[in-house]
Amino acid sequence: MIDFLLGRLSTEYFPSDPVTIGAAVGMPLTVVGLVALITYLKRWKWLWNNWLTSLDAKKIGVMYVIVAIIMLVRGVADAGMLRLQTALAAGDATGPFSTDTFQQVFTAHGTIMIFFVAMGLMFGLINVVMPLMIGARDMAFPFLNSISLWLFVAGMILVNTSLVFGGFSNGGWLGYPPLTELQYNPGPGVDYWIWSLQIAGIGSLLSGINFAVTIIKHRAPGMTWFKMPIFPWSVLVTSVLIMLAFPILTVTLALLSLDRTMGMHFFTSDLGGNAMMYINLIWAWGHPEVYILVLPAFGIYSEVVATFAKKALFGYKTMVYALIAIMFLSFVVWQHHFFTMGAGANVNAFFGIMTMVIAIPTGVKIFNWLFTMYRGRIRFRAPMVWFLAFVVTFTIGGVTGVMMAVPALDFQVHNSMFLVAHFHNTIIGGVVFGFFAAMTYWFPKIFGFRLNDRLGRYSAIAWQIGFIVAFMPLYALGLMGAVRRIDSYSDPTWQPFFITSGIGVLIIALGIGLFMLQIIYSVWKRKELRDTTGDPWDGRTLEWSVPSPAPHYNFAVQPVVTHRDEWWHRKKTHYQAPHKSEYRDVWLPKNSAVGLLIGLMACGAGFGIIWHLWWLVGLLALGIIVIIIIRTTKDDTEYLLTAEELLKEDRRAKGMAV
Amino acid sequence: MRHETVDTLNRKADKAELGFWLYLMTDVIIFASLFATYLVLRNNTAGGPSAADLFEPRYAFVETLILLTSSFTCGIAAIAFKFGKKQLGLGLLMATIVLGTAFLTLELLEFGTLVREGHSWQASAFLSAFFTLVGTHGFHILIGLIWAAVTGGYIMSNGLTRNAVRKFTLFSLFWHFLDVVWIFLFTIVYLLGELS
Ligand code: HEM
Ligand SMILES: [Cu+2]
């Protein structure tokens, strides 16, 4: 009976080494502190009504971004621990962390950075601006959108719970079996990894469907496919990739979990299991995943460059075709992640060539941005500085990527520090810089004031320098023979490189500090930085046509589009604001706590599976089904905003007399 | 939705249908991955029995007939609802539920026999793949049955509103989809299993 109630919960799973204890005590204390602060400020009601239960895509987006930034701090702290260890543990010396801790830390770092930082920032930014850019009031399914958010948060909570209780997986961010099978990893760590990804991944899948339907069905009248800005285009392509790739992840994780909980033999080393099938499946998701992350960033750069060069984007149509080409190609390159598996020369040649081919549309895009800048009136504001840092960093990453696409060369650098440098080049330079550019660029649209530009530029420059110092030595180390994921090494000549790399992490941390400072300082100076026009950068697309902060109904009057850069065109042609008679009644989604509830229950169910509390899993699964049934059979989920109210609110937002 | 215009209602139905189609596409990928897994592991029997030894295509054929009939009753129910024949539609929906339950029972009986004879999912990679693939389909059927019951209840209490018809359309899409998946399952697992 006790076994039934408690599953495999046991006090032995509390952490025992001092570093982890520190984190395990610190984290809950921070949460308790936050709760106390909110209570003290009497802000619960405000938080509940304005944020937690909101179905407004912009608010959902902001919540995604906040969670992702907190996770970024954790991810970078993890990276700092890894680099501290490798800076010290040369020759006979030992570093501060045990091998097992080190393995958990790099697994947590990779998992958190990809799923809870990069994906979180991406979903957040898409929610914040995509509907505005296509002239829509909201997402196609606002309620589904909140479920996605809360499933994402549920996964995040599970990852962090592992730190306090049970420990995380030591199997790397992709959890290769047979190491992650029960035989070698009987503890709960791998299960934490599986279920945090599984739950967040289902949220991602729902988001993909939601974004695609929104773009297909909610574009403003007149916005034909080739009048749609590039950012929504990139979101559409990313959504298609999500819908095609994420189900594979769902299946792969489910199979691994069945091996671990039901004693099946998909990937075990006995009774016919086939671990290489796991590697194939996970990369059939994993390679598209990297494009899922980077394409929206490409979309962001397209908007930023056009705005700050004050020119229409060069080669708009080739941009779209390049996106579509990448969408197809990204599904025929996955095997480049395991050229060394032994699939044979012909298979390797095929995937090697496809990998080189995919570099072509990517190169096209880089040149299009450069040509957009050519003869433009460029303003070097913070978003533009992020963009320039991207061009430099990402291009290096692209070049080393094509190098590794040559199977013969990849045999030398496979799973080495060279690879680690390569993918950070593309993912930090491509994805993270893009999302930082976006946060700076669209901040005023959501909060009504700009961010201090100078601190933004400093932050970008610190990231750029820190990046070079942290990762360029890794290329050299890789060529010298350093493999990835090592916590100590015997060759002392490597140490200077590792120390340099560690210093780079400090500079990157400075960059993050400057970014935080930028936000705090700008909040303090928000009066001076206020955006009264709604169009602080002299922008080109529809989101700049509404007041800042963007009102909850987005557009008081449904815009009709005639040009690709609609807002720019309007400014040039002395567009008249809509007349009173053009306002119409609109229906908006009511707040709902159901998404939040589903997220919490999913989190609890995940915890139940990890700890074998089957009664809890059963109860919560049943609860989720019942809640969904109740919600879907309920009809009055929207409220009416009448034309008169809308007119009043619109005039107030624009600072006119009501 | 008391005050909404027909126009916004149509738009909503449109959106829901597109979203649901996209969801079904993602489910196609789920099944495709499971089929691929099954095909890779089909011969990894670890010295135990293979598909040819274990499966009885005639049994599966009966299951197929039952599921196809349930798809048929579901299709007719959709037509009945479209023409406002509420009672007839509900009756046919009931028939769909009964047939679906029969199908699921047969499947579980088959599983039970296999396990009792010592061929459980733990016996070999082949059996793991088999139970997972067929079980996932069965799980979808279970969800479909719950959904059918809920939709039936909704129509009984709210009448044939636009919303109700919309909900039923989505359900019938789902049910037909499961039928198509089963045809593949029947062919690849049971018929091909016999041949090998
Ligand atoms: C902020 C600066 C960052 C630093 C200093 C850093 C540093 C590191 C280090 C030291 C490793 C372990 C390398 C090894 O020994 O194998 C690593 C692995 C990894 N990093 Fe980062 N990283 C950073 C940012 C990111 C970001 C933004 C992402 C993704 C969005 C990311 C994704 C990964 C992944 C997927 C791994 C592989 C984990 C594994 O081996 O399983 N990193 N990083
Ligand atoms: Cu790849």
Side-chain angles (χ1 to χ4, degrees):
Chain A
M1 185 65 195
I2 294 283
D3 276 355
F4 175 73
L5 281 180
L6 293 183
R8 58 169 160 173
L9 290 174
S10 141
T11 48
E12 68 174 290
Y13 287 115
F14 283 111
S16 52
D17 74 297
V19 186
T20 329
I21 292 183
V25 175
M27 211 171 53
L29 279 184
T30 318
V31 175
V32 171
L34 259 176
V35 170
L37 185 72
I38 298 170
T39 315
Y40 176 74
L41 294 173
K42 299 207 174 65
R43 283 297 198 154
W44 278 112
K45 208 164 161 195
W46 165 84
L47 197 64
W48 181 261
N49 290 332
N50 284 321
W51 291 94
L52 302 183
T53 60
S54 173
L55 297 194
D56 177 348
K58 296 180 290 299
K59 297 225 164 124
I60 288 181
V62 171
M63 288 188 274
Y64 265 115
V65 171
I66 291 174
V67 174
I69 289 188
I70 297 173
M71 286 298 102
L72 174 70
V73 174
R74 167 150 188 217
V76 172
D78 285 341
M81 287 164 71
L82 297 173
R83 276 296 159 259
L84 179 65
Q85 172 90 0
T86 47
L88 299 175
D92 294 330
T94 49
F97 308 111
S98 69
T99 302
D100 187 57
T101 308
F102 187 85
Q103 290 168 342
Q104 290 189 30
V105 174
F106 69 63
T107 305
H109 165 80
T111 307
I112 286 178
M113 284 296 200
I114 298 282
F115 285 89
F116 299 102
V117 178
M119 292 292 272
L121 289 176
M122 177 185 107
F123 286 134
L125 290 163
I126 291 175
N127 266 300
V128 166
V129 285
M130 186 269 280
L132 279 166
M133 281 181 106
I134 60 172
R137 286 233 157 71
D138 208 330
M139 287 292 175
F141 310 113
F143 170 64
L144 198 65
N145 204 17
S146 89
I147 295 187
S148 289
L149 166 73
W150 292 109
L151 290 180
F152 168 79
V153 174
M156 184 278 290
I157 294 176
L158 282 179
V159 170
N160 288 296
T161 308
S162 75
L163 192 60
V164 184
F165 189 61
F168 200 55
S169 167
N170 57 9
W173 80 286
L174 284 183
Y176 281 12
L179 176 61
T180 46
E181 288 286 359
L182 215 48
Q183 191 182 356
Y184 305 104
N185 245 314
V190 175
D191 299 303
Y192 268 117
W193 176 81
I194 292 177
W195 288 96
S196 58
L197 297 198
Q198 189 69 298
I199 292 172
I202 289 171
S204 309
L205 192 54
L206 298 177
S207 290
I209 296 174
N210 206 345
F211 296 161
V213 177
T214 306
I215 293 176
I216 295 172
K217 291 283 179 190
H218 276 207
R219 274 169 297 134
M223 186 179 278
T224 54
W225 286 116
F226 279 126
K227 287 199 180 115
M228 183 163 80
I230 289 289
F231 181 67
W233 257 114
S234 70
V235 176
L236 181 62
V237 173
T238 280
S239 305
V240 174
L241 285 179
I242 291 179
M243 289 187 284
L244 294 175
F246 266 77
I248 309 180
L249 177 70
T250 308
V251 169
T252 314
L253 293 173
L255 299 186
L256 182 62
S257 179
L258 286 172
D259 273 4
R260 293 178 57 83
T261 49
M262 303 271 292
M264 292 199 184
H265 293 282
F266 286 105
F267 315 120
T268 55
S269 11
D270 58 348
L271 293 180
N274 183 345
M276 274 328 289
M277 193 174 62
Y278 180 94
I279 319 291
N280 269 291
L281 283 170
I282 198 97
W283 281 112
W285 159 79
H287 191 88
E289 164 70 5
V290 304
Y291 285 95
I292 288 169
L293 290 174
V294 87
L295 293 183
F298 285 174
I300 290 162
Y301 295 127
S302 304
E303 307 300 335
V304 165
V305 171
T307 298
F308 290 97
K310 287 212 178 191
K311 265 178 72 189
L313 187 69
F314 180 90
Y316 169 90
K317 281 199 178 165
T318 53
M319 284 301 213
V320 174
Y321 293 134
L323 281 169
I324 294 172
I326 292 176
M327 175 176 97
F328 285 108
L329 288 172
S330 70
F331 277 99
V332 286
V333 298
W334 80 89
Q335 195 259 3
H336 63 207
H337 295 278
F338 42 93
F339 280 141
T340 51
M341 172 178 81
N346 289 337
V347 175
N348 281 359
F350 171 80
F351 282 96
I353 291 169
M354 282 334 245
T355 307
M356 294 175 203
V357 169
I358 206 170
I360 296 172
T362 315
V364 166
K365 298 176 90 62
I366 301 262
F367 280 110
N368 278 344
W369 292 315
L370 296 182
F371 286 134
T372 307
M373 290 167 67
Y374 179 65
R375 295 201 149 168
R377 269 172 290 147
I378 303 170
R379 293 166 292 164
F380 289 101
R381 314 299 277 278
M384 197 62 187
V385 178
W386 284 111
F387 166 75
L388 293 175
F390 150 77
V391 174
V392 176
T393 319
F394 187 81
T395 306
I396 300 173
V399 170
T400 55
V402 175
M403 284 166 72
M404 285 191 295
V406 182
L409 201 152
D410 185 66
F411 269 65
Q412 301 303 313
V413 291
H414 179 65
N415 263 353
S416 73
M417 283 296 168
F418 191 92
L419 165 82
V420 173
H422 153 72
F423 74 69
H424 282 90
N425 246 145
T426 51
I427 211 146
I428 293 186
V431 179
V432 177
F433 286 3
F435 294 164
F436 271 97
M439 284 190 275
T440 324
Y441 181 57
W442 282 303
F443 190 91
K445 185 46 61 198
I446 299 305
F447 294 101
F449 57 95
R450 275 174 295 123
L451 290 173
N452 178 288
D453 203 66
R454 179 182 297 261
L455 285 169
R457 273 177 284 149
Y458 289 169
S459 170
I461 291 167
W463 264 90
Q464 169 71 45
I465 295 175
F467 180 83
I468 291 172
V469 178
F471 289 97
M472 291 303 141
L474 298 194
Y475 281 119
L477 277 171
L479 293 176
M480 289 156 72
V483 293
R484 70 192 288 197
R485 297 175 177 165
I486 44 171
D487 64 324
S488 67
Y489 43 92
S490 50
D491 186 345
T493 57
W494 293 358
Q495 196 172 23
F497 293 89
F498 274 119
I499 293 180
T500 316
S501 176
I503 295 170
V505 180
L506 294 180
I507 307 177
I508 292 177
L510 175 71
I512 296 186
L514 284 168
F515 181 76
M516 302 285 182
L517 185 68
Q518 179 194 25
I519 292 179
I520 295 168
Y521 182 78
S522 311
V523 171
W524 182 41
K525 295 275 180 197
R526 61 185 177 282
K527 291 229 167 60
E528 293 157 39
L529 291 166
R530 186 157 305 287
D531 167 28
T532 49
T533 60
D535 184 16
W537 315 112
D538 199 4
R540 313 181 70 83
T541 37
L542 277 177
E543 75 272 29
W544 306 112
S545 70
V546 302
S548 300
H552 61 110
Y553 45 80
N554 282 8
F555 296 91
V557 174
Q558 173 67 60
V560 177
V561 173
T562 54
H563 282 74
R564 196 175 283 157
D565 288 342
E566 174 69 18
W567 176 237
W568 186 258
H569 173 74
R570 287 187 188 180
K571 285 190 283 192
K572 292 290 160 262
T573 51
H574 308 290
Y575 170 82
Q576 294 289 314
H579 185 257
K580 243 180 16 199
S581 62
E582 291 179 50
Y583 288 73
R584 298 272 177 279
D585 293 357
V586 296
W587 289 89
L588 293 167
K590 284 185 190 166
N591 279 9
S592 164
V594 176
L596 174 60
L597 202 60
I598 289 179
L600 288 178
M601 291 168 85
C603 184
F607 188 82
I609 300 179
I610 294 164
W611 292 100
H612 299 178
L613 310 170
W614 303 118
W615 56 273
L616 182 70
V617 181
L619 280 181
L620 289 174
L622 199 69
I624 291 178
I625 293 177
V626 171
I627 292 185
I628 291 180
I629 291 176
I630 294 176
R631 167 78 195 192
T632 48
T633 47
K634 194 172 130 184
D635 282 339
D636 59 336
T637 54
E638 300 186 327
Y639 68 94
L640 181 71
L641 193 63
T642 61
E644 299 94 78
E645 288 164 340
L646 199 56
L647 180 65
K648 259 192 225 161
E649 282 211 35
D650 189 33
R651 305 190 122 231
R652 198 174 302 131
K654 288 182 180 148
M656 298 190 263
V658 178
Chain B
M1 317 287 290
R2 291 109 9 232
H3 317 285
E4 278 183 274
T5 58
V6 174
D7 186 46
T8 50
L9 272 177
N10 277 341
R11 213 169 105 120
K12 249 190 212 149
D14 239 32
K15 268 194 312 196
E17 202 161 308
L18 175 65
F20 197 72
W21 270 106
L22 293 180
Y23 154 73
L24 286 183
M25 294 302 115
T26 66
D27 230 4
V28 167
I29 311 262
I30 296 221
F31 280 109
S33 312
L34 290 173
F35 273 115
T37 309
Y38 177 80
L39 287 173
V40 170
L41 298 178
R42 190 159 62 116
N43 297 321
N44 297 14
T45 53
S50 70
D53 306 328
L54 290 179
F55 305 142
E56 178 62 73
R58 262 174 307 173
Y59 188 86
F61 185 65
V62 176
E63 290 179 278
T64 311
L65 285 184
I66 294 180
L67 200 63
L68 281 177
T69 317
S70 83
S71 223
F72 180 70
T73 51
C74 177
I76 308 272
I79 297 175
F81 285 140
K82 198 171 267 167
F83 286 98
K85 302 237 185 301
K86 183 173 146 188
Q87 288 313 326
L88 179 64
L90 282 173
L92 285 161
L93 182 60
M94 197 59 215
T96 309
I97 294 178
V98 171
L99 288 166
T101 314
F103 170 87
L104 200 59
T105 315
L106 284 180
E107 195 167 291
L108 289 176
L109 285 176
E110 189 196 10
F111 280 10
T113 315
L114 283 173
V115 172
R116 242 176 294 114
E117 289 171 357
H119 311 306
S120 83
W121 50 84
Q122 304 194 338
S124 70
F126 151 66
L127 281 164
S128 303
F130 164 77
F131 275 99
T132 307
L133 174 58
V134 179
T136 305
H137 179 265
F139 179 70
H140 277 74
I141 294 279
L142 177 67
I143 300 283
L145 289 173
I146 298 176
W147 190 359
V150 172
T151 315
Y154 186 85
I155 292 176
M156 263 193 269
S157 57
N158 294 33
L160 276 181
T161 59
R162 280 168 107 36
N163 244 330
V165 175
R166 184 178 103 201
K167 281 179 212 285
F168 185 79
T169 314
L170 296 188
F171 162 73
S172 67
L173 263 177
F174 185 65
W175 200 252
H176 295 315
F177 164 74
L178 291 182
D179 212 24
V180 176
V181 173
W182 177 260
I183 300 293
F184 278 93
L185 249 164
F186 178 61
T187 316
I188 291 180
V189 176
Y190 294 94
L191 289 186
L192 238 64
E194 192 65 4
L195 287 181
S196 65

